Amino acid sequence: MAAALVKGQNAGLAPGEVVLSVRGGVAADLSALLVTEAGKVRSDADFVFFNQPQAPGVRLNGAGLEISLGAVPGEIAQIRAVITVAAQGDTFGTAASPVASVADRAGNVLHEYVIDGLDRESVVIALELYRRGDQWKVRAVGQGYAGGFADLVTDHGVSVDDEPDVVAAPEVRTVPGEAALSFDKRQTLDMRKREVAKVLIDKSAFGARARVVLVIDKTGSMQKMYRGGTVHRVVERMIPVATQLDDDGTLEAYLYALTYAKLPDITVADGERWAQTYLHLTGTHEGIDYDAMGGRNDELPIMRAIIDTLTEPTLVLFFTDGGFAKKREIAALMREAAHLPAFWQFIGLGKANFGVLRTLDELDGRVVDNAGFFALDDIDQVDDAELYRRLLGEFPDWLRAARTAGIIS
């Protein structure tokens, strides 16, 4: 059972690895400052945040700080974990008290601290790990920082003069329906939206707008991924992409095999129900005959159907487990589609022969490079940051090339 800490209380930590996280309260970003006895970082490299997720012994992974105590440099006396409200204008006093915890790598919570008494604070030092001789200890801090996040990091020795964006959290878009989600789902969505925004910021494409189309393979070889929920989780992880790119935050959806079905758009509020209603391999559901689509792949009909709808910048997210047999026809179609306002990001699921997809980057005869491909043996083992980096890495380059070529305005 976790030991409860109160403000100012400390407790010892066993050697090894711990995970520090904060849950509850308003949506917030977690960061860390590794400081010396003087209370300063040695360099900017000792500041761990969304755009610099790793320092010696400390790694920001999703919503938690993974800390390998034995790998923290000897000059570092303290690791200060900081939470900052995610949305401009929010304060920690507008919601339930956040709860900071320290767990072992197996997920067993060792210590918990309810950070109560917060009011107008937007930046709070939640916990502090510190050395006492050869031992590491944790202290419940819960101290707001009146000057704001920029003042906090500069007071700890982080230089922001030459790189003002180092402390600027991305202003992610909020779309209709988010308020209907449970708190936990909203937290997960916020975290994923920020990972999407980070990629777009890094690629100088933040603020770009595009229609987002999701295409999912419905062939028999996908049975294990449907039954195990992999495809459901893919849909959940694609919704944040639409929230940051699409005008109304919705995700257009198709299933395909020999033929295809255009499904209702996916909204933030309805994503889970949508997946349960429409992700099937067989049978008739909501008037859609899934058996009529067949059990083998033919990509040409669904690709042609999407091409016929292209009137605005579009990102096509195409998930398949392989079987692209019509190499010549698909290559010809991609050359034709290069004149149209769409970038096709193909994602291979599982270990399979993906044929022509692996050669898309080398396909000649196109006015712009309009397609990318990567394969994942197990998409559930890829964290959000890496998935979105690969998913969106080439799209901003296409936007610029398409503008230069006059394909989009």
Side-chain angles (χ1 to χ4, degrees):
M1 184 175 179
L5 300 176
V6 297
K7 189 170 184 176
Q9 186 179 2
N10 62 63
L13 294 173
E17 299 182 351
V18 295
V19 179
L20 191 157
S21 60
V22 180
R23 70 179 190 276
V26 299
D29 292 319
L30 182 62
S31 58
L33 292 155
L34 285 67
V35 300
T36 65
E37 288 284 2
K40 302 286 186 180
V41 299
R42 300 169 302 170
S43 72
D44 290 356
D46 287 336
F47 174 35
V48 176
F49 68 117
F50 69 87
N51 214 27
Q52 183 172 273
Q54 196 159 341
V58 181
R59 180 171 180 261
L60 180 61
N61 184 11
L65 288 164
E66 299 176 351
I67 302 172
S68 179
L69 298 173
V72 177
E75 307 98 299
I76 298 302
Q78 301 165 352
I79 301 170
R80 293 175 180 164
V82 179
I83 50 175
T84 309
V85 294
Q88 190 171 6
D90 269 355
T91 65
F92 285 106
T94 60
S97 299
V99 180
S101 64
V102 178
D104 61 24
R105 288 304 299 272
N108 302 306
V109 179
L110 309 173
H111 304 283
E112 280 195 341
Y113 167 41
V114 178
I115 312 174
D116 52 15
L118 299 178
D119 185 13
R120 298 184 179 180
E121 296 90 343
S122 61
V123 181
V124 172
I125 300 176
L127 293 174
E128 180 179 80
L129 303 189
Y130 64 100
R131 296 183 195 265
R132 280 293 178 267
D134 294 332
Q135 184 186 18
W136 280 94
K137 304 186 80 173
V138 56
R139 178 186 292 118
V141 181
Q143 181 63 51
Y145 210 84
F149 190 59
D151 286 348
L152 180 142
V153 296
T154 53
D155 286 351
H156 282 80
V158 177
S159 172
V160 298
D161 293 339
D162 295 330
E163 295 191 41
D165 288 342
V166 78
V167 295
E171 292 292 327
V172 300
R173 293 178 71 217
T174 299
V175 300
E178 291 189 23
L181 299 175
S182 68
F183 178 80
D184 288 344
K185 290 186 182 298
R186 209 159 58 241
Q187 288 280 80
T188 299
L189 176 65
D190 284 340
M191 180 183 70
R192 286 173 169 164
K193 289 196 301 183
R194 291 184 183 284
E195 295 296 345
V196 171
K198 290 170 200 174
V199 177
L200 296 175
I201 288 170
D202 288 346
K203 299 289 288 186
S204 300
F206 189 65
R209 293 290 169 262
R211 171 185 170 214
V212 184
V213 176
L214 176 64
V215 180
I216 304 176
D217 192 333
K218 188 219 71 76
T219 54
S221 56
M222 291 280 291
Q223 184 176 88
K224 184 177 179 180
M225 282 183 259
Y226 274 78
R227 288 185 174 175
T230 297
V231 178
H232 293 65
R233 292 186 288 274
V234 164
V235 171
E236 182 181 313
R237 295 172 82 179
M238 294 307 103
I239 290 173
V241 177
T243 68
Q244 300 309 295
L245 287 175
D246 191 89
D247 279 336
D248 59 7
T250 60
L251 188 60
E252 296 182 41
Y254 294 82
L255 291 185
Y256 88 97
L258 287 171
T259 62
Y260 64 89
K262 171 72 171 71
L263 303 176
D265 293 351
I266 308 169
T267 66
V268 165
D270 205 34
E272 186 173 341
R273 188 203 66 81
W274 185 98
Q276 293 171 349
T277 303
Y278 295 105
L279 291 179
H280 303 283
L281 292 174
T282 60
T284 299
H285 307 272
E286 298 296 309
I288 299 170
D289 186 345
Y290 286 72
D291 295 307
M293 280 186 264
R296 295 185 295 105
N297 299 67
D298 187 349
E299 289 72 28
L300 294 175
I302 177 60
M303 292 175 70
R304 172 59 66 187
I306 293 172
I307 285 173
D308 290 344
T309 70
L310 295 176
T311 59
E312 60 186 299
T314 300
L315 172 62
V316 182
L317 303 173
F318 202 115
F319 287 85
T320 177
D321 72 340
F324 279 50
K326 298 180 179 179
K327 180 175 180 179
R328 184 173 60 184
E329 294 89 338
I330 290 172
L333 197 61
M334 293 309 298
R335 291 187 181 98
E336 174 189 339
H339 296 273
L340 300 171
F343 182 80
W344 301 72
Q345 181 61 64
F346 294 95
I347 304 96
L349 298 174
K351 299 177 180 179
N353 175 18
F354 294 104
V356 67
L357 295 182
R358 294 195 179 278
T359 64
L360 284 176
D361 283 338
E362 303 164 9
L363 186 62
D364 59 9
R366 292 177 295 168
V367 61
V368 295
D369 182 354
N370 63 334
F373 169 74
F374 63 92
L376 300 170
D377 289 349
D378 185 350
I379 193 170
D380 285 327
Q381 297 302 310
V382 180
D383 66 26
D384 291 323
E386 175 66 11
L387 178 62
Y388 295 136
R389 184 187 67 79
R390 299 187 70 175
L391 200 74
L392 299 169
E394 294 186 58
F395 176 64
D397 298 329
W398 172 81
L399 282 174
R400 286 185 282 273
R403 286 193 189 98
T404 300
I407 297 168
I408 61 175
S409 58

